[in-house]
Amino acid sequence: MTMMTPANGQGVASSEPEAVVLPHSEAFDLESSSKPGRTYHIEVALPSAPAPKEGYSVLYVLDGNARFPLLREARETLIRDGPSGNALPLLIVGIGYPGVERFALEQRALDYTPPGDGIGDGQGGAKDFLRFIMDTLQPAIAERYAVNDERTALLGHSYGALFALHVLQTCPECFRDYIAISPSLWWNQGQLLTEFGQLAQDATWCEALRGHRLLLGVGGDEQKPRPDEDEILSKLREQRAMVDNTIALGQLLDAQCSLLTHEQVVFAGEDHGSVMWPAARQVMKFLTTGE
């Protein structure tokens, strides 16, 4: 132990700093049973309240290394019954990558993008990633914690939101709720938007959306050029049309698939990097209304 002496000359005891541990939180690595050698870092935030008799609702968060702490604190701060009360009985599961501080760019580009014609190397692995979630991760979570299989949600931002929407397209029964913030709908020449337009003509697919919910969000400034940035990047913002594409998808689903409960929010003044702050609040409200 060392002694620190402030300006007034009186010593104050100070110990060596220790790593901060999030209360009621756990972490472990998990290898995919269908893709040997592919390992994910899983972080779990347990609610302070005991599990309801039907089990905890579960929110699966993509880009877990970066997004798990934000969603955990949103639950603890925004949805709590008074300062000393319990937060929403929601189990939060972050899906990340071992040894990564925030974003694993190459790994997420592979895992979060669907198969498609003309895609680049290192993309198109969404099918394998979904298999990991359904066949490896969800059984592992159910084995460790008391969960309600009928109250599950998937949250993604950017490429992660692209993946969430791809799951809604191909396996709507995989989760009850889908949350797509700033989805990269520009990816592969707008492939997902085209596919949604085709699927919306299929009454069977729209019927499969009954009982499911979608929260779509995007920052209001995501496609606006910035005066202080490179002209090429500004043009790229306009071309990707993040706001226009997100609104177009919401309008399409409203018009063609009314059985899907759908909520859409444009977060005024927010950009692609800042939108998750207000989105976290909206996510908690969205999940609360679904209980």
Side-chain angles (χ1 to χ4, degrees), residues 109 112-121 123-124 159 162 166 183-195 236 239-240 245:
Y112 297 171
T113 53
D117 295 334
I119 62 174
D121 293 337
Q123 298 192 15
Y159 264 14
L162 184 78
H166 171 68
S184 299
L185 291 168
W186 52 265
W187 178 81
N188 201 27
Q189 290 75 54
Q191 175 182 315
L192 253 68
L193 269 178
T194 300
E195 292 173 349
L236 186 62
Q239 292 169 0
R240 289 183 170 180
N245 285 338

Side-chain angles (χ1 to χ4, degrees), residues 213-235:
R213 306 188 309 153
L214 170 65
L215 171 61
L216 272 176
V218 66
D221 290 350
E222 292 201 41
Q223 68 187 54
K224 290 182 179 179
R226 294 179 179 178
D228 58 343
E229 73 181 358
D230 183 85
E231 183 179 354
I232 295 177
L233 183 55
S234 290
K235 288 183 178 179

Side-chain angles (χ1 to χ4, degrees), residues 116-172:
D117 295 334
I119 62 174
D121 293 337
Q123 298 192 15
K127 182 177 179 180
D128 287 332
F129 183 54
L130 178 58
R131 188 179 296 119
F132 161 75
I133 294 174
M134 303 306 297
D135 296 347
T136 305
L137 177 57
Q138 286 196 353
I141 294 298
E143 182 179 349
R144 288 169 168 83
Y145 313 100
V147 297
N148 184 351
D149 292 337
E150 296 182 359
R151 290 289 187 272
T152 59
L154 177 64
L155 163 64
H157 169 254
S158 194
Y159 264 14
L162 184 78
F163 175 78
L165 291 173
H166 171 68
V167 178
L168 179 65
Q169 283 185 345
T170 58
C171 185

